[in-house]
Coordinates of all heavy atoms in Angstrom, one line a residue:
E74 N 16.5 0.5 4.8 CA 16.9 -0.7 5.5 C 17.6 -1.7 4.6 O 18.7 -2.2 4.9 CB 15.7 -1.4 6.2 CG 16.1 -2.6 7.0 CD 16.7 -2.3 8.3 OE1 16.7 -1.1 8.8 OE2 17.3 -3.2 8.9
L75 N 17.1 -1.9 3.4 CA 17.6 -3.0 2.5 C 18.4 -2.6 1.3 O 19.0 -3.4 0.7 CB 16.4 -3.9 2.0 CG 15.5 -4.5 3.1 CD1 14.3 -5.2 2.4 CD2 16.3 -5.4 4.0
G76 N 18.3 -1.3 1.0 CA 19.0 -0.8 -0.2 C 17.9 -0.4 -1.3 O 16.8 -1.0 -1.3
Q77 N 18.3 0.5 -2.1 CA 17.4 0.9 -3.2 C 17.2 -0.2 -4.2 O 18.0 -1.1 -4.3 CB 18.1 2.1 -3.9 CG 18.3 3.3 -3.0 CD 17.0 3.9 -2.5 OE1 16.1 4.2 -3.3 NE2 16.9 4.1 -1.2
G78 N 16.1 -0.1 -5.0 CA 15.8 -1.1 -6.0 C 15.1 -2.3 -5.6 O 15.1 -3.3 -6.4
Q79 N 14.5 -2.3 -4.4 CA 13.7 -3.5 -4.0 C 12.5 -3.7 -4.9 O 12.0 -2.7 -5.5 CB 13.3 -3.3 -2.5 CG 14.4 -3.2 -1.5 CD 15.3 -4.4 -1.5 OE1 14.8 -5.5 -1.4 NE2 16.6 -4.2 -1.6
E80 N 12.1 -4.9 -5.0 CA 10.8 -5.3 -5.7 C 9.8 -5.6 -4.6 O 10.1 -6.3 -3.6 CB 11.0 -6.4 -6.7 CG 11.9 -6.0 -7.8 CD 11.9 -7.0 -9.0 OE1 11.1 -7.9 -8.9 OE2 12.7 -6.8 -9.9
F81 N 8.6 -5.2 -4.9 CA 7.5 -5.4 -3.9 C 6.3 -6.2 -4.6 O 6.0 -5.9 -5.7 CB 7.0 -4.1 -3.4 CG 8.0 -3.2 -2.8 CD1 8.7 -2.2 -3.6 CD2 8.4 -3.3 -1.5 CE1 9.7 -1.4 -3.1 CE2 9.5 -2.6 -1.0 CZ 10.1 -1.6 -1.8
F82 N 5.7 -7.1 -3.8 CA 4.5 -7.7 -4.3 C 3.3 -6.8 -4.0 O 2.4 -6.7 -4.8 CB 4.2 -9.0 -3.5 CG 5.0 -10.2 -4.1 CD1 6.0 -10.7 -3.3 CD2 4.8 -10.7 -5.3 CE1 6.8 -11.8 -3.7 CE2 5.6 -11.7 -5.8 CZ 6.5 -12.3 -5.0
E83 N 3.3 -6.2 -2.8 CA 2.1 -5.4 -2.4 C 2.5 -4.4 -1.3 O 3.4 -4.7 -0.4 CB 1.1 -6.4 -1.9 CG -0.2 -5.8 -1.3 CD -1.2 -6.8 -0.9 OE1 -1.4 -7.8 -1.6 OE2 -1.8 -6.6 0.2
V84 N 1.8 -3.3 -1.2 CA 1.9 -2.4 -0.1 C 0.4 -2.1 0.2 O -0.3 -1.6 -0.6 CB 2.7 -1.1 -0.4 CG1 2.6 -0.1 0.8 CG2 4.1 -1.4 -0.8
T85 N 0.1 -2.3 1.5 CA -1.3 -2.1 1.9 C -1.2 -1.1 3.1 O -0.6 -1.4 4.1 CB -2.0 -3.4 2.4 OG1 -2.0 -4.3 1.3 CG2 -3.4 -3.1 2.8
S86 N -2.0 0.0 3.0 CA -1.9 1.1 4.0 C -3.3 1.4 4.5 O -4.2 1.6 3.6 CB -1.2 2.3 3.4 OG -1.1 3.3 4.4
N87 N -3.5 1.5 5.8 CA -4.7 2.0 6.4 C -4.4 2.9 7.5 O -3.2 3.3 7.7 CB -5.6 0.8 6.8 CG -4.9 -0.1 7.9 OD1 -4.3 0.4 8.8 ND2 -4.9 -1.4 7.6
E88 N -5.3 3.4 8.3 CA -5.1 4.3 9.3 C -4.2 3.8 10.5 O -3.6 4.6 11.2 CB -6.4 4.8 9.9 CG -7.2 5.7 9.0 CD -6.6 7.1 8.8 OE1 -5.7 7.5 9.6 OE2 -6.9 7.7 7.8
Q89 N -4.1 2.5 10.6 CA -3.3 1.9 11.7 C -1.9 1.6 11.4 O -1.0 1.8 12.2 CB -4.0 0.6 12.3 CG -5.3 0.8 13.0 CD -6.5 1.1 12.1 OE1 -6.5 0.5 11.0 NE2 -7.3 1.9 12.5
F90 N -1.6 1.1 10.2 CA -0.3 0.7 9.8 C -0.2 0.5 8.3 O -1.2 0.5 7.6 CB 0.1 -0.6 10.5 CG -1.0 -1.7 10.3 CD1 -0.9 -2.5 9.2 CD2 -2.0 -1.9 11.3 CE1 -1.9 -3.5 9.0 CE2 -2.9 -2.9 11.1 CZ -2.9 -3.7 10.0
V91 N 1.0 0.2 7.8 CA 1.3 -0.1 6.4 C 2.0 -1.5 6.4 O 3.0 -1.7 7.1 CB 2.2 0.9 5.8 CG1 2.4 0.6 4.3 CG2 1.6 2.3 5.9
N92 N 1.5 -2.4 5.6 CA 2.2 -3.7 5.3 C 2.9 -3.6 4.0 O 2.4 -3.1 3.0 CB 1.2 -4.8 5.2 CG 0.5 -5.1 6.5 OD1 1.1 -5.3 7.5 ND2 -0.8 -5.2 6.4
V93 N 4.2 -3.9 4.0 CA 5.0 -3.9 2.8 C 5.6 -5.3 2.6 O 6.2 -5.9 3.5 CB 6.2 -2.9 3.0 CG1 7.0 -2.9 1.7 CG2 5.7 -1.5 3.3
F94 N 5.2 -5.9 1.4 CA 5.7 -7.3 1.1 C 6.8 -7.2 0.1 O 6.5 -6.9 -1.1 CB 4.5 -8.1 0.6 CG 3.4 -8.3 1.7 CD1 2.3 -7.4 1.7 CD2 3.5 -9.3 2.6 CE1 1.4 -7.6 2.7 CE2 2.5 -9.5 3.6 CZ 1.5 -8.6 3.6
V95 N 8.0 -7.5 0.5 CA 9.2 -7.4 -0.3 C 9.4 -8.7 -1.0 O 9.4 -9.8 -0.4 CB 10.4 -7.0 0.5 CG1 11.7 -7.0 -0.4 CG2 10.2 -5.7 1.3
A96 N 9.5 -8.7 -2.3 CA 9.8 -9.9 -3.1 C 11.3 -10.3 -2.9 O 12.1 -9.5 -3.1 CB 9.5 -9.7 -4.6
V97 N 11.5 -11.6 -2.6 CA 12.9 -12.1 -2.5 C 13.0 -13.4 -3.3 O 12.0 -14.0 -3.7 CB 13.3 -12.3 -1.0 CG1 13.3 -11.0 -0.2 CG2 12.4 -13.3 -0.3
D98 N 14.2 -13.8 -3.5 CA 14.5 -15.0 -4.2 C 13.8 -15.1 -5.6 O 13.1 -16.0 -5.8 CB 14.2 -16.2 -3.4 CG 15.2 -16.4 -2.2 OD1 16.3 -15.8 -2.2 OD2 14.8 -17.0 -1.2
D99 N 14.1 -14.1 -6.4 CA 13.5 -14.0 -7.7 C 12.0 -14.1 -7.7 O 11.3 -14.7 -8.6 CB 14.1 -15.1 -8.6 CG 15.5 -14.9 -8.9 OD1 16.0 -13.7 -9.1 OD2 16.3 -15.9 -8.9
G100 N 11.3 -13.5 -6.7 CA 9.9 -13.4 -6.6 C 9.2 -14.7 -6.2 O 8.0 -14.9 -6.5
T101 N 9.9 -15.6 -5.6 CA 9.3 -16.9 -5.1 C 9.0 -16.9 -3.6 O 8.4 -17.8 -3.1 CB 10.3 -18.1 -5.4 OG1 11.5 -17.9 -4.7 CG2 10.6 -18.2 -6.9
A102 N 9.3 -15.8 -3.0 CA 9.0 -15.7 -1.5 C 8.9 -14.2 -1.2 O 9.2 -13.3 -2.0 CB 10.2 -16.2 -0.7
A103 N 8.2 -13.9 -0.1 CA 8.0 -12.5 0.3 C 8.5 -12.4 1.8 O 8.3 -13.3 2.6 CB 6.5 -12.2 0.2
V104 N 9.0 -11.2 2.1 CA 9.3 -10.9 3.5 C 8.4 -9.7 3.8 O 8.6 -8.6 3.3 CB 10.8 -10.5 3.7 CG1 11.1 -10.1 5.1 CG2 11.7 -11.7 3.3
P105 N 7.5 -9.9 4.8 CA 6.6 -8.8 5.2 C 7.3 -7.9 6.2 O 8.0 -8.3 7.1 CB 5.4 -9.5 5.9 CG 5.7 -10.9 5.8 CD 7.1 -11.2 5.4
Y106 N 7.1 -6.6 6.0 CA 7.5 -5.5 6.9 C 6.3 -4.7 7.4 O 5.4 -4.5 6.5 CB 8.5 -4.6 6.3 CG 9.9 -5.2 6.2 CD1 10.2 -6.0 5.1 CD2 10.9 -4.9 7.1 CE1 11.5 -6.5 5.0 CE2 12.2 -5.4 7.0 CZ 12.5 -6.2 5.9 OH 13.7 -6.7 5.8
L107 N 6.3 -4.3 8.6 CA 5.3 -3.5 9.1 C 5.8 -2.1 9.4 O 6.9 -2.0 10.0 CB 4.7 -4.1 10.4 CG 3.5 -3.4 11.0 CD1 2.3 -3.6 10.1 CD2 3.2 -4.0 12.4
Y108 N 5.2 -1.1 8.8 CA 5.5 0.3 9.1 C 4.4 0.9 10.0 O 3.3 0.9 9.6 CB 5.6 1.1 7.7 CG 6.0 2.5 7.8 CD1 7.3 2.8 8.0 CD2 5.1 3.5 7.7 CE1 7.7 4.2 8.0 CE2 5.4 4.8 7.7 CZ 6.8 5.2 7.9 OH 7.2 6.5 7.9
F109 N 4.8 1.2 11.2 CA 3.9 1.5 12.3 C 4.3 2.8 13.0 O 5.5 2.8 13.4 CB 3.8 0.3 13.2 CG 2.9 0.5 14.4 CD1 1.5 0.5 14.3 CD2 3.4 0.8 15.7 CE1 0.7 0.7 15.3 CE2 2.6 1.0 16.7 CZ 1.2 0.9 16.6
D110 N 3.4 3.7 13.1 CA 3.7 5.0 13.8 C 5.0 5.6 13.3 O 5.8 6.1 14.1 CB 3.8 4.7 15.3 CG 3.6 5.9 16.1 OD1 3.0 6.9 15.7 OD2 4.1 5.9 17.3

Side-chain angles (χ1 to χ4, degrees):
E74 180 75 18
L75 302 177
Q77 300 296 309
Q79 298 300 310
E80 291 191 11
F81 305 95
F82 282 113
E83 178 178 317
V84 176
T85 302
S86 182
N87 59 48
E88 289 292 338
Q89 290 78 38
F90 53 84
V91 183
N92 290 313
V93 181
F94 296 94
V95 180
V97 296
D98 293 337
D99 295 321
T101 62
V104 176
Y106 283 83
L107 187 67
Y108 183 78
F109 177 75
D110 199 24

